[in-house]
């Protein structure tokens, strides 16, 4: 069994990004810029946004966080998005999820300039992903693809099973795997018997958010297991996979923490650099 070490890979990716960003500044006087909109005071969201801002600083991305109160009106967020859409020095824009219930999430995501949509949540980019076209792919599933690739794993021809069908993780994960040649089962809340699908999988990707969900009897011998879950049990971070009993069956498995988590932020930085590389074209067209 081999560990898929996302922490180590994310450090390597960030070092490479730092060099590329320094070169971009020197050759084209461009400093990539990322804007983050954070609404309310959800502790996990605040922590994620802090981690994103710190990672930006590490690699030389300029970042700005627009913090808005829980009671904010839809129109105020929309106005902030419009302002960022028109700021020529901000290449990427993300709205941290979840949002308070009075906010229409879809309307906000649809108002983000598609060229600045570094989270890949705009339906235009989401559609392009499913059509197999060049786009911004959501950061967590993109991080999984990079982690597999960096460990010499080709998914072409594999039977893959994705458990959890959220717009942020499961659905785009299934699209990326399908586009790369895997045969994908996408399991969701109404799936009759999840184990019947997981047991067939050469590659099992789980992103549900339920500790203890995947046990050894649900995993094929020699499978590659990617755990996207982040749960706290007795104050300790763990995934959706019962690591100790599943790991001995696997050819590869991600640890939690230190697997997919660090890759998500590394991919956000990659997407921000990608947006910045086209800054002049975008600004000319806007
Ligand atoms: N909430 C949980 N994951 C994410 C993410 O990747 N992006 C945003 N914007 N919000 C999230």
């Amino acid at each position: 069994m081999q560990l898929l070490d996302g922490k180590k890979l994310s450090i390597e990716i960030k070092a490479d990004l730092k060099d590329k960003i320094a070169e971009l500044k020197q050759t084209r006087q461009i400093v990539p810029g990322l804007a983050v909109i954070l609404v309310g005071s959800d502790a996990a969201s605040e922590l994620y946004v802090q981690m994103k801002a710190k990672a930006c600083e590490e690699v030389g991305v300029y970042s700005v966080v627009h913090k808005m109160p829980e009671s904010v009106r839809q129109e105020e967020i929309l106005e902030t998005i419009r302002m960022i859409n028109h700021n020529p020095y901000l290449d990427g824009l993300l709205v941290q999820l979840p949002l308070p219930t009075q906010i229409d999430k879809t309307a906000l995501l649809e108002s983000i300039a598609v060229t600045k949509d570094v989270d890949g949540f705009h339906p235009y980019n989401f559609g392009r992903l499913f059509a197999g076209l060049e786009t911004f792919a959501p950061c967590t599933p993109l991080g999984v693809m990079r982690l597999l690739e960096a460990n010499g794993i080709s998914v072409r021809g594999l039977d893959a099973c994705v458990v959890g069908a959220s717009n942020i993780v499961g659905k785009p994960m299934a699209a990326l795997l399908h586009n790369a040649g895997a045969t994908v089962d996408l399991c969701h809340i109404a799936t009759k018997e999840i184990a019947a699908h997981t047991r067939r999988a050469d590659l099992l990707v789980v992103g549900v958010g339920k500790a203890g969900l995947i046990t050894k009897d649900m995993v094929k011998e020699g499978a590659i297991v990617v755990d996207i879950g982040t749960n706290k049990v007795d104050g300790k971070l763990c995934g959706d996979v019962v690591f100790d009993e599943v790991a001995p069956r696997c050819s590869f498995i991600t640890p939690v923490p230190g697997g997919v988590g660090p890759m998500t932020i590394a991919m956000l930085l990659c997407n921000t650099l990608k947006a910045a590389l086209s800054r002049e074209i975008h600004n000319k067209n806007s």
Side-chain angles (χ1 to χ4, degrees):
M1 181 273 296
Q2 242 177 288
L3 278 184
L4 295 168
D5 188 341
K7 180 140 193 252
K8 179 162 161 263
L9 180 59
S10 72
I11 290 169
E12 289 165 15
I13 290 171
K14 283 191 281 185
D16 181 51
L17 284 171
K18 190 173 177 175
D19 291 345
K20 288 193 171 120
I21 288 166
E23 190 188 319
L24 187 63
K25 187 174 177 186
Q26 206 165 43
T27 56
R28 288 164 60 189
Q29 291 74 52
I30 289 175
V31 175
L34 173 69
V36 178
I37 297 179
L38 172 63
V39 183
S41 48
D42 176 71
S45 290
E46 283 190 341
L47 181 64
Y48 285 138
V49 168
Q50 250 178 41
M51 285 161 62
K52 288 172 185 179
K54 182 172 163 272
C56 284
E57 200 180 320
E58 266 175 58
V59 301
V61 168
Y62 166 72
S63 76
V64 54
V65 178
H66 291 264
K67 201 166 177 333
M68 309 185 108
E70 186 85 23
S71 59
V72 70
R73 284 179 308 111
Q74 174 93 6
E75 188 50 40
E76 286 177 73
I77 312 179
L78 278 171
E79 190 46 46
T80 305
I81 292 175
R82 279 184 215 114
M83 195 180 72
I84 298 164
N85 282 345
H86 289 107
N87 185 325
Y89 301 105
L90 291 171
D91 304 288
L93 160 56
L94 72 88
V95 179
Q96 188 65 30
L97 304 177
L99 290 163
T101 47
Q102 81 273 15
I103 302 299
D104 178 351
K105 179 179 79 177
T106 307
L108 290 191
L109 296 179
E110 285 184 322
S111 74
I112 294 173
V114 295
T115 53
K116 299 195 178 194
D117 177 34
V118 287
D119 253 344
F121 294 167
H122 190 296
Y124 173 85
N125 285 321
F126 214 67
R128 287 187 64 92
L129 176 67
F130 276 77
L133 301 171
E134 169 57 29
T135 186
F136 288 111
C139 302
T140 299
L142 190 59
V144 172
M145 297 306 286
R146 274 292 283 273
L147 190 54
L148 295 172
E149 214 176 275
N151 283 274
I153 299 165
S154 164
V155 303
R156 191 171 174 77
L158 294 188
D159 286 330
C161 176
V162 178
V163 183
S166 69
N167 284 339
I168 294 182
V169 174
K171 280 188 223 167
M173 185 77 253
L176 283 169
L177 288 170
H178 169 85
N179 292 346
T183 303
V184 187
D185 274 4
L186 178 56
C187 297
H188 48 80
I189 192 84
T191 300
K192 260 194 293 197
E193 196 199 341
I194 286 183
H197 297 269
T198 61
R199 266 191 227 115
R200 295 182 52 235
D202 305 311
L203 168 62
L204 174 59
V205 184
V206 190
V208 173
K210 193 171 169 195
L213 180 69
I214 304 294
T215 48
K216 72 168 187 281
D217 54 302
M218 297 170 77
V219 178
K220 181 175 172 177
E221 191 73 45
I224 303 156
V225 174
V226 175
D227 190 351
I228 306 180
T230 38
N231 312 291
K232 250 198 182 153
V233 175
D234 301 329
K236 239 184 96 188
L237 201 63
C238 67
D240 294 346
V241 176
V242 183
F243 186 89
D244 291 346
E245 64 174 55
V246 171
R249 291 181 83 84
C250 299
S251 53
F252 294 90
I253 187 167
T254 56
V256 179
V260 178
M263 292 300 296
T264 297
I265 292 188
M267 292 304 101
L268 174 64
L269 300 171
C270 286
N271 278 351
T272 303
L273 173 60
K274 179 170 153 175
L277 287 170
S278 307
R279 178 188 283 185
E280 289 120 339
I281 299 167
H282 297 155
N283 287 344
K284 213 184 301 165
N285 292 340
S286 70

